């Protein structure tokens, strides 16, 4: 069993749709990261969370520490949001990564 | 499936020595692997992209002579930190591109390098 599970693995959406990506983890963490990775490999850090909720533009990330679950929401999705979204948890000693959610937003 | 093994997980070395970090895709072939570095409380930074059988492509500001990358086979890429200094102490992570089946990226578990 992986320490970090993401769902869905693949997601196709129409432009404008509301998108949710889920992340569950099984280890104790000091922080959870949501990352966006484009085909070239470069990673953009979207959020670093240790509790509650954060919002940046059309992106919202929430975390429930008791349930060991986090969600990434994208409102009014756009084709430029197409990328792989990765959930990663930092235990303080080590990172564990989800396998990513490949998002395609169709115009 | 799609497992990447990174070794070692932790290493402490003396200043001036070299350290090699290995990244292996265990059950798939990875023509492309990526190396990242993470400074404390910051996100991952892409250092270089390594393609099997060819020279790595380094990101701007990354010293190619200091961070030697070799991708000699479809399942193994290595990062060698040469003449390490304390400022090289960091967390290094590799990822391998899954180009068939479940496309995306699989990450290694990282290597924490401490240079003393």
């Amino acid at each position: 069993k992986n320490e970090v599970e993401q769902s869905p693995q693949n997601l196709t959406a129409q432009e404008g749709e509301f998108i949710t990506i889920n992340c569950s983890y099984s280890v104790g963490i000091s922080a959870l990261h949501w990352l966006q990775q484009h085909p070239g490999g470069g990673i953009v850090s979207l959020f670093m969370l240790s509790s509650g909720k954060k919002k940046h533009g059309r992106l919202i990330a929430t975390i429930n520490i008791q349930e060991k679950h986090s969600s990434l929401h994208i409102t009014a999705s756009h084709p430029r949001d197409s990328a792989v979204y990765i959930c990663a948890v930092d235990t303080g000693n080590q990172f564990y990564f989800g396998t990513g959610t490949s998002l395609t937003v169709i115009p | 499936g799609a497992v990447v093994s990174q070794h070692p997980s932790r290493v402490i070395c003396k200043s001036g020595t070299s350290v090699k970090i290995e990244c292996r895709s265990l059950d798939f072939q990875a023509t492309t692997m990526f190396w990242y570095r993470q400074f404390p409380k910051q996100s991952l930074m892409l250092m270089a992209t390594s393609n099997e059988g060819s020279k790595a492509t380094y990101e701007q500001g990354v010293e190619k002579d200091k961070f030697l990358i070799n991708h000699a086979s479809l399942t193994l890429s290595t990062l060698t930190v040469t003449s390490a200094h304390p400022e090289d102490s960091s967390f290094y992570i590799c990822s391998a591109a899954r180009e068939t089946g479940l496309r995306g990226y699989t990450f290694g578990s990282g290597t924490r390098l401490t240079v003393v």
Side-chain angles (χ1 to χ4, degrees):
Chain A
K1 184 183 183 302
N2 294 329
E3 288 80 2
V4 178
E5 299 277 358
Q6 266 184 255
S7 64
Q9 292 178 341
N10 293 283
L11 182 56
T12 301
Q14 288 290 134
E15 183 173 358
E17 284 186 9
F18 180 84
I19 289 163
T20 296
I21 300 171
N22 295 299
C23 175
S24 296
Y25 54 94
S26 59
V27 293
I29 69 170
S30 58
L32 181 144
H33 298 253
W34 279 103
L35 310 171
Q36 181 191 54
Q37 186 165 35
H38 289 278
I43 281 182
V44 174
S45 175
L46 300 175
F47 296 102
M48 186 171 75
L49 292 163
S50 54
S51 66
K53 176 180 175 179
K54 286 190 177 181
K55 184 176 188 293
H56 182 73
R58 295 181 294 107
L59 303 177
I60 303 166
T62 62
I63 188 169
N64 185 317
I65 297 294
Q66 286 71 31
E67 294 185 3
K68 294 189 173 180
H69 181 269
S70 176
S71 293
L72 175 69
H73 306 286
I74 305 175
T75 62
S77 60
H78 190 276
R80 63 174 175 268
D81 297 325
S82 299
V84 175
Y85 292 83
I86 300 163
C87 172
V89 299
D90 182 357
T91 66
N93 292 318
Q94 186 174 345
F95 268 81
Y96 293 98
F97 293 84
T99 52
T101 295
S102 180
L103 171 65
T104 303
V105 181
I106 300 170
Chain B
V3 177
V4 170
S5 172
Q6 188 172 340
H7 179 80
S9 57
R10 285 178 177 271
V11 59
I12 300 173
C13 70
K14 290 187 177 180
S15 192
T17 61
S18 295
V19 174
K20 181 185 283 189
I21 302 169
E22 292 189 348
C23 181
R24 292 182 186 270
S25 56
L26 297 185
D27 50 4
F28 66 102
Q29 293 184 332
T31 55
T32 306
M33 289 189 176
F34 305 90
W35 287 96
Y36 301 89
R37 181 174 180 177
Q38 196 237 1
F39 293 98
K41 299 191 185 302
Q42 296 183 32
S43 188
L44 299 175
M45 180 191 76
L46 179 65
M47 297 175 67
T49 302
S50 105
N51 294 292
E52 185 266 338
S54 63
K55 289 184 179 180
T57 303
Y58 290 82
E59 296 299 301
Q60 192 172 7
V62 178
E63 298 175 62
K64 59 183 68 176
D65 294 330
K66 179 162 192 63
F67 299 100
L68 300 179
I69 291 172
N70 184 284
H71 193 160
S73 79
L74 287 171
T75 58
L76 174 65
S77 177
T78 60
L79 168 68
T80 301
V81 182
T82 63
S83 187
H85 287 94
E87 58 264 30
D88 299 324
S89 298
S90 189
F91 193 66
Y92 294 87
I93 303 172
C94 70
S95 75
R98 308 188 304 272
E99 293 159 1
T100 59
L102 178 61
R103 294 179 184 269
Y105 305 94
T106 300
F107 287 81
S109 55
T111 297
R112 187 168 299 284
L113 170 64
T114 303
V115 184
V116 298

